[in-house]
Coordinates of all heavy atoms in Angstrom, one line a residue:
S489 N 154.4 -216.7 -45.6 CA 154.4 -215.5 -44.7 C 155.3 -214.5 -45.3 O 156.5 -214.7 -45.4 CB 154.8 -216.0 -43.3 OG 153.9 -217.0 -42.8
V490 N 154.8 -213.3 -45.5 CA 155.6 -212.2 -46.1 C 155.7 -211.1 -45.1 O 154.7 -210.7 -44.5 CB 154.9 -211.7 -47.4 CG1 155.7 -210.6 -48.0 CG2 154.9 -212.9 -48.4
G491 N 156.9 -210.6 -44.9 CA 157.2 -209.5 -44.0 C 156.8 -208.2 -44.6 O 156.4 -208.0 -45.7
V492 N 157.1 -207.1 -43.9 CA 156.8 -205.7 -44.4 C 157.6 -205.3 -45.5 O 157.2 -204.4 -46.3 CB 157.0 -204.7 -43.2 CG1 156.1 -205.0 -42.0 CG2 158.5 -204.8 -42.6
N493 N 158.7 -206.0 -45.8 CA 159.6 -205.6 -46.9 C 159.2 -206.4 -48.1 O 159.9 -206.3 -49.2 CB 161.0 -205.8 -46.6 CG 161.4 -207.3 -46.3 OD1 160.5 -208.1 -46.2 ND2 162.6 -207.6 -45.9
G494 N 158.1 -207.2 -48.1 CA 157.6 -207.9 -49.3 C 158.4 -209.3 -49.4 O 158.1 -210.0 -50.4
K495 N 159.3 -209.6 -48.5 CA 160.1 -210.9 -48.7 C 159.5 -211.8 -47.7 O 158.8 -211.5 -46.7 CB 161.6 -210.6 -48.4 CG 162.3 -209.7 -49.4 CD 163.6 -209.5 -49.0 CE 164.4 -208.6 -50.0 NZ 165.9 -208.4 -49.7
V496 N 159.8 -213.2 -48.0 CA 159.4 -214.2 -47.0 C 160.0 -213.9 -45.7 O 161.2 -213.7 -45.6 CB 159.8 -215.6 -47.6 CG1 159.5 -216.7 -46.6 CG2 159.1 -215.8 -48.9
D497 N 159.2 -214.0 -44.6 CA 159.7 -213.7 -43.3 C 160.0 -215.0 -42.6 O 159.2 -215.7 -42.1 CB 158.7 -213.0 -42.5 CG 159.1 -212.5 -41.2 OD1 160.2 -213.1 -40.6 OD2 158.6 -211.5 -40.7
K498 N 161.4 -215.4 -42.6 CA 161.7 -216.7 -42.1 C 161.6 -216.6 -40.6 O 161.5 -217.7 -40.0 CB 163.1 -217.1 -42.6 CG 163.1 -217.3 -44.1 CD 164.5 -218.0 -44.5 CE 164.4 -218.3 -46.1 NZ 165.7 -218.9 -46.5
N499 N 161.8 -215.5 -40.0 CA 161.6 -215.4 -38.5 C 160.2 -215.8 -38.1 O 160.0 -216.7 -37.1 CB 161.9 -214.1 -38.0 CG 163.2 -213.7 -38.0 OD1 164.2 -214.6 -37.9 ND2 163.6 -212.4 -38.3
M500 N 159.2 -215.5 -38.9 CA 157.8 -215.9 -38.7 C 157.7 -217.4 -38.8 O 157.0 -218.1 -38.1 CB 156.8 -215.2 -39.5 CG 156.7 -213.6 -39.3 SD 155.7 -212.8 -40.4 CE 154.1 -213.6 -40.3
L501 N 158.4 -218.0 -39.9 CA 158.3 -219.4 -40.2 C 158.9 -220.2 -39.0 O 158.3 -221.2 -38.6 CB 159.0 -219.7 -41.5 CG 158.4 -219.1 -42.8 CD1 159.3 -219.5 -44.0 CD2 157.0 -219.7 -43.0
H502 N 160.1 -219.7 -38.6 CA 160.7 -220.3 -37.4 C 159.7 -220.3 -36.2 O 159.6 -221.4 -35.5 CB 161.9 -219.6 -37.0 CG 163.2 -220.1 -37.8 ND1 163.7 -221.3 -37.7 CD2 163.9 -219.4 -38.8 CE1 164.8 -221.4 -38.4 NE2 164.9 -220.2 -39.2
A503 N 159.1 -219.3 -35.9 CA 158.3 -219.1 -34.8 C 157.0 -220.1 -35.0 O 156.6 -220.7 -34.0 CB 157.7 -217.7 -34.6
E504 N 156.6 -220.2 -36.1 CA 155.4 -221.1 -36.4 C 155.7 -222.6 -36.3 O 154.9 -223.3 -35.9 CB 154.8 -220.6 -37.8 CG 153.5 -221.4 -38.0 CD 152.8 -220.9 -39.3 OE1 153.3 -219.9 -39.9 OE2 151.8 -221.5 -39.7
Y505 N 156.8 -222.9 -36.9 CA 157.0 -224.4 -37.1 C 158.1 -224.9 -36.2 O 158.3 -226.2 -36.1 CB 157.5 -224.6 -38.5 CG 156.4 -224.3 -39.5 CD1 156.3 -223.2 -40.3 CD2 155.3 -225.2 -39.6 CE1 155.4 -222.9 -41.2 CE2 154.3 -225.0 -40.5 CZ 154.3 -223.8 -41.3 OH 153.3 -223.6 -42.1
D506 N 159.0 -224.2 -35.5 CA 160.0 -224.8 -34.6 C 159.5 -225.9 -33.7 O 160.0 -227.0 -33.6 CB 160.7 -223.7 -33.8 CG 162.0 -223.3 -34.4 OD1 162.2 -223.6 -35.6 OD2 162.7 -222.5 -33.7
S507 N 158.5 -225.6 -33.0 CA 157.9 -226.6 -32.0 C 157.3 -227.7 -32.6 O 157.3 -228.8 -32.2 CB 157.0 -225.9 -30.9 OG 155.9 -225.3 -31.7
A508 N 156.6 -227.4 -33.8 CA 155.8 -228.5 -34.4 C 156.7 -229.6 -35.1 O 156.3 -230.7 -35.0 CB 155.0 -227.9 -35.5
F509 N 157.9 -229.1 -35.5 CA 158.7 -230.1 -36.3 C 160.2 -230.1 -35.6 O 161.1 -230.2 -36.3 CB 158.8 -229.7 -37.8 CG 157.5 -229.7 -38.5 CD1 157.1 -228.5 -38.9 CD2 156.8 -230.9 -38.6 CE1 155.8 -228.5 -39.6 CE2 155.6 -230.8 -39.3 CZ 155.1 -229.6 -39.7
S510 N 160.2 -229.9 -34.3 CA 161.5 -229.9 -33.7 C 162.2 -231.2 -33.8 O 163.5 -231.3 -33.5 CB 161.4 -229.5 -32.2 OG 160.6 -230.3 -31.6
D511 N 161.6 -232.2 -34.1 CA 162.3 -233.5 -34.2 C 161.9 -234.3 -35.5 O 161.4 -235.3 -35.6 CB 161.9 -234.4 -33.0 CG 162.9 -235.6 -32.9 OD1 164.0 -235.5 -33.4 OD2 162.5 -236.7 -32.4

Side-chain angles (χ1 to χ4, degrees):
S489 301
V490 177
V492 294
N493 60 1
K495 298 180 179 180
V496 174
D497 190 334
K498 292 191 178 181
N499 289 329
M500 292 174 61
L501 295 177
H502 276 289
E504 184 174 354
Y505 292 106
D506 261 10
S507 59
F509 301 114
S510 61
D511 198 25

